[in-house]
Amino acid sequence: MKMSRRAFMAASSASVALAALPAIPAFAKDYVEPPSLKDQVSGGKLPPVGQRLPENPLVITPTEKVGTYGGDWNMALVGGGGLSMLFRYQAYEPLVRFTPDWSGVTPNVAESVEADADSKVYTIKLRKGLKWSDGEPFTTDDVKFWYDTCLTDKRVAFVGNAHWKQGGKPAKLDVVDETTFKVTFEKPNGFFPLNIAWANNDQTTRTPKHYLSQFHIDYNPKADDLAKQRGLGGWVALFQQEAGFQDDNIFFQNGNRPSLFAWQFQTAPGAGVQQAVAVRNPYYFKVDTSGNQLPYMDRVVYQMVADPQVLLLKCMQGQIDMMDQYIGTPANKSVLYDNRQQGNYDFYTLNSTEANQMVFCFNLNHNDPVRRELFQNKDFRVAMSLALDRQSLIDTVLVGQGAPAQPSILKSDPLYNEQLATQFTEFDPDKANAMLDKIIPNKGDDGIRLDKNGKKLTITFEIDNARAVFIDMLQLVVPMFQAVGIDAQVRTMDRSLWETRVRQGRDFDATCHEFGANGGIAAMLDPRYYVPTNNNAVYAPGWQLWYQARDNKDAIEPDDLTKKSMALYDQLQATSDPAKQKDIMKQILQNAADEFYVFGVTQIPPGYGIVKNNLHNFTKTMPNSFGWPTPAPTRPEQFYKA
């Protein structure tokens, strides 16, 4: 990618470099037609492959060797929700994407990205002749449509896309021609390319104007009538539903929306669907080094399984081609090891980039004022942390893998903050009781504390039922909390309900989560446990909304130190000086240590997944992250079976 040295240094300040655009090889005019599409081409239903590809297709160098066509990629999705997992498998096609080794970003949908000397102006060039999965052109007209209807239309009011904004004000978009546009910020924004590459961040490549315009009143005067025909109140609700940017489940349940993905849903996941199927996108814009249009595999087949135990059995029986989510627990490793021959699979290694194995998140913005006051009391959170016997949890659930730690930065990372990592990790129920006696001193006859209104203090942890480690740990945690007078309860639920209750709600008491980041550029791009800047900060739903959209009726103004960290985060994204970035992030981390928003159990040792022995071009060691959406940056389009 063409960038100034200053912009390059800004993007590479945490060992992240910008990759060069690959050259177009000599075979460029002799592209190979996938066999499964030949009948459609000969029958006149599809144009030849050379007419379906852009003038400058992206050339993918296979991980091992040029593959062969055909077959299904057999995968699974757990429960009725959690479709955000699809960003890991088939839906990672931003303008620029992370490299397979996470050493930088590389062009993808965009042919090139060029930044000015101050990282204020980015000139982005799309691939000429690029097409949506239905054959319609993808041009700057689509980007402009997204800008006008999704980013800046206050009627639609999509929240997010902070990387396109500074101080809540959107960057300026200038369309140069059908393949070139410029993005101009008022201040330097050296993180812009990295934020584009972050999973589920780039919406510019997921907004087909020719399809979505029918649902927007500015483009279709009858959009309200169309909405009412579908039982919706008006065009805004219809457009939000069809665009799908408010809910990942809704986004993926719409199989009609054209995409740029390697596979397009033929049977989309949804209510009553037992097997979702995505088929080859005939207009996919990538080829291998021999001119074969990608992807190699014809379909992705997702079995919709009820829970992790069902998924585990299917993996052991060899029905799933690769998997790490939900099954890669310490408890499962021995049984998976013993079944390697029967299931015809082996292990791969995941190097964790996450902040903690299990993060306890109290709802600091609870709708109930009594609970809100209690949960916002730092001493209450400290006491609850001291009530945890972390070593017992590690020994019992994680078979001894780990050491007590809070959600934090790795000790080996230059951003490491000892206070953040180690404070309040000791098991001290006597001190926890003493602290709670000062905050909520009254108890009932059963020894359970009473809140300020005299009601029994029951705190319910609402948990995604696919998170086996959380559920196993909470069986041990509940008695620990009850021992200090807190009536802890656990409510498990399908991921889709969890998304509604927790990520989008305010009435939940507490939850447990993971992800986040434990160092370097990842911590700067995903600081969820260090400063609440987006809806991944489930402990502060109102505060993160205030950061993104202060005029939103549901936004809640945070305390002064949190607002200071938010202002620092704005400065972090604006500066192009690596030394200043490091200094600012250290201040944010220190503030997080002082705030003590959340607490955890242990940092995560290397994990694992299983992959079938006949799946090739698969990377056997990779990061485990949602931002680098494992395994998407290793390019599943070049996976093949043999």
Side-chain angles (χ1 to χ4, degrees):
M1 297 177 65
K2 299 177 180 178
M3 298 192 75
S4 68
R5 184 179 183 278
R6 182 180 299 179
F8 177 91
M9 290 302 293
S12 61
S13 61
S15 301
V16 176
L18 292 166
L21 180 69
I24 298 298
F27 61 76
K29 301 300 180 184
D30 298 321
Y31 300 118
V32 179
E33 189 78 66
S36 63
L37 299 180
K38 287 183 178 179
D39 287 347
Q40 295 183 58
V41 173
S42 62
K45 294 181 179 180
L46 276 179
V49 62
Q51 296 177 26
R52 302 196 307 267
L53 289 165
E55 290 185 5
N56 181 21
L58 179 57
V59 180
I60 298 295
T61 301
T63 300
E64 301 166 3
K65 62 181 180 179
V66 171
T68 55
Y69 280 119
D72 294 342
W73 186 17
N74 295 305
M75 297 295 289
L77 296 169
V78 176
L83 298 186
S84 59
M85 289 294 166
L86 291 169
F87 289 108
R88 296 176 179 268
Y89 308 139
Q90 76 177 64
Y92 181 61
E93 298 295 352
L95 291 167
V96 297
R97 61 191 283 149
F98 288 121
T99 55
D101 61 357
W102 208 351
S103 62
V105 296
T106 187
N108 191 50
V109 171
E111 183 176 286
S112 65
V113 176
E114 185 174 351
D116 71 350
D118 296 317
S119 303
K120 291 182 180 179
V121 181
Y122 289 86
T123 301
I124 300 175
K125 185 176 179 59
L126 305 176
R127 298 177 188 279
K128 188 174 182 180
L130 182 61
K131 298 176 179 65
W132 294 100
S133 56
D134 61 358
E136 291 294 318
F138 173 78
T139 70
T140 51
D141 206 25
D142 294 290
V143 178
K144 181 68 162 56
F145 177 77
W146 169 81
Y147 184 89
D148 292 341
T149 61
C150 297
L151 183 68
T152 61
D153 191 335
K154 293 184 178 180
R155 296 167 296 178
V156 174
F158 283 130
V159 175
N161 294 288
H163 59 291
W164 270 81
K165 301 173 184 176
Q166 288 181 327
K169 183 179 178 181
K172 180 183 177 185
L173 173 69
D174 292 302
V175 172
V176 178
D177 54 40
E178 70 174 13
T179 59
T180 309
F181 65 96
K182 291 187 177 183
V183 183
T184 303
F185 295 92
E186 292 184 352
K187 301 176 182 178
N189 188 353
F191 283 175
F192 187 56
L194 299 168
N195 272 310
I196 289 174
W198 196 261
N200 197 13
N201 262 10
D202 190 7
Q203 297 175 356
T204 65
T205 62
R206 291 185 275 146
T207 313
K209 178 182 178 181
H210 70 282
Y211 173 78
L212 289 175
S213 58
Q214 63 182 308
F215 309 116
H216 197 291
I217 199 72
D218 292 351
Y219 299 84
N220 178 14
K222 297 183 179 180
D224 265 330
D225 295 335
L226 188 59
K228 291 173 183 176
Q229 291 172 17
R230 300 191 182 186
L232 298 172
W235 73 268
V236 171
L238 177 62
F239 185 80
Q240 290 173 337
Q241 176 177 286
E242 290 292 333
F245 292 139
Q246 294 190 134
D247 187 325
D248 294 338
N249 287 352
I250 291 175
F251 179 83
F252 287 113
Q253 286 167 358
N254 184 352
N256 297 318
R257 186 194 309 103
S259 77
L260 299 177
F261 307 149
W263 298 275
Q264 176 78 1
F265 273 117
Q266 184 180 67
T267 303
V273 175
Q274 296 184 354
Q275 183 172 275
V277 179
V279 299
R280 174 188 303 280
N281 172 5
Y283 294 91
Y284 193 55
F285 60 98
K286 302 180 188 180
V287 297
D288 68 14
T289 48
S290 293
N292 298 296
Q293 186 191 27
L294 298 172
Y296 289 133
M297 287 189 278
D298 293 325
R299 306 191 307 169
V300 187
V301 178
Y302 298 97
Q303 296 188 51
M304 309 300 289
V305 300
D307 56 56
Q309 284 303 310
V310 176
L311 177 60
L312 177 62
L313 288 173
K314 289 184 178 294
C315 289
M316 291 165 57
Q317 293 166 359
Q319 296 183 36
I320 307 300
D321 287 329
M322 62 83 48
M323 184 59 60
D324 50 69
Q325 294 294 309
Y326 304 116
I327 65 153
T329 66
N332 286 343
K333 192 165 188 179
S334 60
V335 68
L336 284 168
Y337 183 87
D338 291 341
N339 278 271
R340 286 179 304 159
Q341 185 172 355
Q342 175 187 337
N344 190 30
Y345 59 76
D346 208 340
F347 289 106
Y348 58 90
T349 300
L350 295 172
N351 293 319
S352 176
T353 64
E354 299 169 346
N356 206 267
Q357 179 77 60
M358 181 177 179
V359 182
F360 290 80
C361 304
F362 289 97
N363 181 4
L364 307 185
N365 301 143
H366 203 296
N367 282 333
D368 182 334
V370 173
R371 289 174 184 268
R372 182 169 63 246
E373 179 184 355
L374 178 63
F375 296 160
Q376 286 189 16
N377 187 326
K378 176 184 174 181
D379 286 344
F380 170 77
R381 301 192 299 275
V382 169
M384 298 300 282
S385 180
L386 294 172
L388 283 184
D389 184 351
R390 289 173 173 80
Q391 194 59 55
S392 175
L393 296 174
I394 293 167
D395 291 342
T396 305
V397 180
L398 304 179
V399 293
Q401 298 182 41
Q406 302 290 12
S408 54
I409 305 298
L410 291 175
K411 193 170 186 178
S412 59
D413 192 276
L415 295 174
Y416 176 71
N417 181 300
E418 184 176 5
Q419 177 187 342
L420 180 66
T422 63
Q423 65 181 344
F424 315 125
T425 55
E426 65 271 24
F427 177 45
D428 194 339
D430 292 338
K431 185 175 181 180
N433 260 314
M435 295 180 72
L436 291 172
D437 285 344
K438 294 180 180 179
I439 305 168
I440 35 179
N442 297 327
K443 296 181 180 179
D445 293 339
D446 57 359
I448 297 299
R449 298 179 186 276
L450 307 177
D451 67 20
K452 64 186 299 184
N453 289 337
K455 295 181 179 179
K456 182 177 181 178
L457 185 55
T458 297
I459 296 177
T460 302
F461 286 83
E462 303 197 14
I463 305 296
D464 171 4
N465 61 14
R467 298 294 178 188
V469 169
F470 294 177
I471 294 170
D472 290 346
M473 283 205 182
L474 283 167
Q475 291 181 15
L476 303 176
V477 168
V478 165
M480 296 176 190
F481 287 163
Q482 290 177 339
V484 294
I486 303 298
D487 181 31
Q489 302 290 334
V490 179
R491 180 188 179 196
T492 61
M493 62 194 68
D494 184 271
R495 177 58 181 256
S496 59
L497 180 57
W498 184 91
E499 291 283 345
T500 301
R501 289 276 309 158
V502 177
R503 197 186 297 277
Q504 301 172 25
R506 300 282 179 87
D507 291 318
F508 73 97
D509 295 335
T511 190
C512 296
H513 207 31
E514 52 182 335
F515 304 118
N518 60 17
I521 195 67
M524 296 182 189
L525 293 173
D526 185 5
R528 67 179 70 184
Y529 298 126
Y530 314 131
V531 55
T533 59
N534 61 39
N535 68 357
N536 287 321
V538 294
Y539 59 90
W543 292 354
Q544 63 85 15
L545 188 57
W546 186 87
Y547 175 77
Q548 297 190 78
R550 295 178 188 181
D551 57 349
N552 189 293
K553 63 181 179 62
D554 294 322
I556 298 175
E557 185 173 355
D559 64 84
D560 289 342
L561 189 56
T562 298
K563 287 194 291 186
K564 181 179 179 181
S565 288
M566 289 174 171
L568 285 168
Y569 192 64
D570 286 339
Q571 295 176 32
L572 174 69
Q573 295 182 93
T575 185
S576 296
D577 186 323
K580 288 183 179 179
Q581 289 174 348
K582 180 179 176 182
D583 178 66
I584 293 170
M585 190 63 196
K586 282 191 169 186
Q587 293 180 59
I588 292 172
L589 293 169
Q590 183 56 52
N591 290 346
D594 294 337
E595 286 274 18
F596 196 63
Y597 296 116
V598 295
F599 56 92
V601 176
T602 177
Q603 289 188 328
I604 307 176
Y608 70 93
I610 60 102
V611 58
K612 290 292 290 292
N613 293 323
N614 65 343
L615 188 68
H616 299 280
N617 283 342
F618 187 83
T619 301
K620 291 296 183 71
T621 300
M622 59 183 128
N624 186 21
S625 171
F626 180 77
W628 186 97
T630 313
T634 65
R635 308 159 304 168
E637 61 270 15
Q638 52 95 51
F639 295 173
Y640 74 98
K641 288 183 171 180

